[in-house]
Amino acid sequence: TSIVTSELLYKNLLKSEQENWNDISARYKVMTERIKEKLEELHNKYTFYSVSPRIRFGENVYFEENGCIFLSKADDDEGNVDVLFSTKDLGFSDAFIQRLRISPDQRYMAISLKSENSEEATCVIMKLDHSPVVEKVIPSVFSFEWATNDVLYYTSQKNLKCQNVFMTTFTDQKHTKLVYTEQDARFFVDIYCTKDRRFLTINSNSKTTSEVWLIDCRHPFKLPALVQARTKGVIYHIEHRNDELYILTTYGELAQYKLMKAPVASSGMKNWQLVYALEKKTKLVDLEMFTDHCVMFLKNAGHLYLNVISFVSHLVQSIELPTWACEFELESHPEHTTSTCYFQLTSPVHPPKCFAYSFKENNLIEQAVQEVPIITNCHTTRLLAKSKDETLVPITVFHSMNSKELHRKPLLVHVYGAYGIDLNMSFKEEKLMLIEEGWILAYCHVRGGGELGLSWHKDGCQYNKLKGLHDLKACIMLLHQLGFSQPKYTALAAASAGGVLAGALCNTDPELIRAVVLQAPFVDVLNTMMKTHLPLTIEEQEEWGNPLADENCMKYIKSYCPYQNIKPQHYPSIFITAYENDQRIPLTGVLRYVHKLRKAALDHASRPSKKGNWIPSIILDIQANGSHCDSSWEDSLNEVCSLYCTHL
């Protein structure tokens, strides 16, 4: 009876919230249309200039645009292309292309297709004859790589977990078999192919520990070979060159990434030799391996740069990049024999721009294949805020150079601070629109994120979560002190786990902000981490702790958990977007949070006050489509319009 009653209450509450949102959104219909037109104009403008990531095979170039896979020639200046695949033509019109892999002889193409309502993808294998045809469809696939011309390895996904690796063949004797199973629920398995295509790696990773198994692509039917048994606290990833494994790892006294190497035949940790160690507080974004060089894509306090390691001269060349750059976008699988490394640079207000580094010329080339309009009126400022424990926290600020009286301009602050993941600073049309309309954008790189390397994450997880909250407060206070807006014009934006810090700040320092925008927020930490039947709870313990096994951990989570610390007081207005199909953030937790928050705000407003009590708007938009991780451009457009109309 209690279960039926709970389900009925949930359905009634869901219906009530949807009706409430429909009433609110109707008031802003005219403004929504204006913003939508502006965003579509910007989207169309910069989509025209953008260059999709390329996969190069000799003279052939494969790329994806608008749900289609195209084939062109590298030296073709006339724009001639062949269409190899179309989501609409093959009945996948509601899906988008997530991953593309071409077999070594270019006879097969594997594509993963993802629906906006699910986190599980479908893998479609095409045979690339004169007229490409579907060879096989595999449901619920996460990652996949070609071992040979006709042998594909893939991982299956179920309930947000990947723990099984399969091999399937496209020879005359077609068959599929299970190759590897991970038994530990904290570990997630994926497949990777080394740049020289010599090995596939089966990577089993928790938040803090790794284990890698090798598939020799020359002998794809042999059992996987273990590189190094998992050692608690040691993360490692594998590349290959000249019969040596190059190991990117945290192994050693200082828990920062190092590049090490070992013979393939004796790959155990005792044989690892240091090649290069990263500097402290440096984030390794990615690594590309070439025949005679290795390129490290690095970030330090928001600044991007390259380190190019020569395996011939053993010298390390550091390459500075434009100061406006905030994110790298890399080719999905470059040819390791090439003499040039291609990549793109972008920022929230700068569309991706193509660059190339030439190993022969030892210089950086800014490519102008399609000239992107230069954003000349936007200024990038980098600041350091002093947190409660004296730690300096980086902030990246964007604002119009023509802006006068910045203290009167609206400010949108962004925060995340979890899992060692950086704030998303790739190009977004809505960010550029805000700059053009006089907004200031600030990105606070607080502890718990990964912007300053592994130690930055470690200093903001488990029993250090409050440090991220102190960092966020210090950042906002510094922005106001330096004249970037003021509390009554300041909004805070966060998504997913970023909702922990944003929600906590609403409880501890609500006077610093006027409005908060949360997307699929994690706001009920304690209750969620107490429910081990949820798909992610066990593996998330390395980030948040285990309150079921540790009473001190329970008390600590309770001290900052947004839901647990709601009380009758002044609150900023809060706009929350949640998704019915979200497997990561249970909708019930978001509904509880909103209900409790509204009650606290009304209780506070009912108390007598000389100044009068302002009642904040607490709005919940529950999306029937979309999921936690992905949504289509159209859904994002509608969401952004609603968001800016109702709150900002």
Side-chain angles (χ1 to χ4, degrees), residues 202-221:
I202 298 175
N203 311 293
S204 191
N205 301 299
S206 74
K207 295 287 191 294
T208 60
T209 305
S210 302
E211 184 173 270
V212 180
W213 296 73
L214 296 180
I215 303 290
D216 190 334
C217 292
R218 299 176 304 179
H219 308 287
F221 301 110

Side-chain angles (χ1 to χ4, degrees), residues 52-56 61 195 286 288 290 297 329-335 338 340-344 367:
S52 299
R54 263 56 176 163
I55 296 179
R56 303 165 193 267
V61 179
K195 296 297 190 297
D286 212 329
E288 294 283 19
F290 298 88
F297 297 83
E329 292 185 8
L330 309 183
E331 289 197 322
S332 57
H333 221 298
E335 291 183 296
T338 185
T340 307
C341 176
Y342 298 95
F343 59 94
Q344 296 181 31
Q367 296 186 302

Side-chain angles (χ1 to χ4, degrees), residues 475-503:
C475 289
I476 296 174
M477 290 180 69
L478 179 67
L479 288 165
H480 292 159
Q481 289 167 11
L482 294 178
F484 290 105
S485 194
Q486 49 189 298
K488 65 181 179 180
Y489 302 133
T490 299
L492 176 61
S496 191
V500 174
L501 297 184

Side-chain angles (χ1 to χ4, degrees), residues 5 21 30 35 82 165 188 197 243 274 278 282 293 296 345 488 529 533 536 547 565 590 634 641:
T5 304
W21 167 246
V30 174
I35 295 175
D82 294 326
V165 178
F188 187 96
R197 296 185 175 272
D243 288 326
L274 182 66
L278 292 183
T282 299
H293 296 85
M296 289 184 166
L345 297 176
K488 65 181 179 180
M529 294 307 297
H533 68 278
L536 296 178
N565 291 281
V590 178
E634 289 76 15
C641 288

Side-chain angles (χ1 to χ4, degrees), residues 348-407:
V349 296
H350 291 83
K353 193 165 182 63
C354 297
F355 288 82
Y357 178 79
S358 169
F359 301 124
K360 289 182 179 179
E361 303 297 329
N362 190 29
N363 65 348
L364 187 69
I365 305 162
E366 184 174 337
Q367 296 186 302
V369 179
Q370 290 177 305
E371 188 58 44
V372 177
I374 302 298
I375 313 298
T376 56
N377 65 336
C378 184
H379 187 68
T380 304
T381 302
R382 300 185 191 276
L383 306 170
L384 291 171
K386 188 177 288 187
S387 193
K388 185 177 180 179
D389 61 359
E390 305 290 305
T391 298
L392 296 178
V393 183
I395 314 170
T396 306
V397 185
F398 302 94
H399 63 88
S400 172
M401 295 179 70
N402 301 323
S403 292
K404 296 180 180 179
E405 296 187 317
L406 284 172
H407 69 287

